[in-house]
Amino acid sequence: MPELPEVNTYQKYFDTAARNKLIREVEVQDDYIIKDLNGAAFREKLRGQTFSGSYRRGKYLFGELDNGHHLLLHFGMSGDLKLYNEPEEAPKHERFHFAFESGERLGFDCPRKFARIRYIEDLQAYLKEKKLGPDALNELEWKTFQEIRQGKKGTLKGFLLNQRYLAGVGNLYADEICYQCRIHPASRVDRLPEKKWKEVFEKMKDILQTAVDRDAYYRHYPDDWFWKWREEGAEAPDGSTIEKTEVAGRTTYFAGKWQKRF
DNA sequence: TGTGATGTTGAATG
DNA sequence: GCATTCAACATCAC
């Protein structure tokens, strides 16, 4: 689930659920997804603190603490947040939760344990060390986009998925962008005409913004979007058949005749 | 029972 | 150091 629009929705949820509530207690059921700290140390760091806000870059969500430190929430493939009141309402695969003074609990659910949680004292230093690119929706400008692609030779899809170049595009939205631009996802970055680059940039912005506006709720996406035909053998709106392949190591769907290979 | 999954990473290669 | 590829990570649903 969690690509940029999904994490944006999680951010809104997190802000509503956690902001300005004193963390009375922290319970850790499984500290596998918490990096650098064991469960007890994590509990010590967070207990008694309050989230004052949040910052999102791509798929990375940083909860701002009142001491100036941050809590990184990366949802991996299956991370989710749930605010609840009674212990028995805890999500099935809860790895930890914050118990607020209000009596509510915010649980972090994660069946597949690909999520990453990290306590960060210096956010700017972390972002720099991590080499995380600008947020594809809110921070990436055309000029920067032009600069980033210089010297690259891989596939367009691989480029869009690389979080060091731009942060936030995942497998589904990468396919969506390629479809809407009528470009084969395995097209080489260095062979794409200038005009197409402009189109990729604009479509990407439009797709992400539209998805964010609809709270990443797929069923509310425009009727002519690709995702609903993203199935092998399906018939795309233009009549071409959807093909399945692998690009940049990821399962990829595209409309054979509709998307041109550069 | 086997397979694949909307993400990241470190190792390996060029 | 950079660009790119790819297997590995842990678990569940189909």
Side-chain angles (χ1 to χ4, degrees), chain A residues 23 107 135 168 180 204 210 241:
Chain A
I23 300 170
D135 183 79
Q180 291 198 26
M204 175 177 74
T210 302
T241 305

Side-chain angles (χ1 to χ4, degrees), chain A residues 175-213:
Chain A
D175 279 1
E176 186 73 47
I177 293 165
C178 289
Y179 172 79
Q180 291 198 26
C181 292
R182 300 194 62 173
I183 301 170
H184 190 295
S187 297
R188 295 274 141 183
V189 159
D190 54 331
R191 298 184 61 179
L192 212 57
E194 195 66 24
K195 209 174 104 187
K196 277 295 183 187
W197 274 111
K198 188 76 181 169
E199 206 178 326
V200 168
F201 182 78
E202 284 170 359
K203 284 288 184 190
M204 175 177 74
K205 292 279 188 184
D206 175 62
I207 289 166
L208 293 174
Q209 187 63 58
T210 302
V212 162
D213 289 344

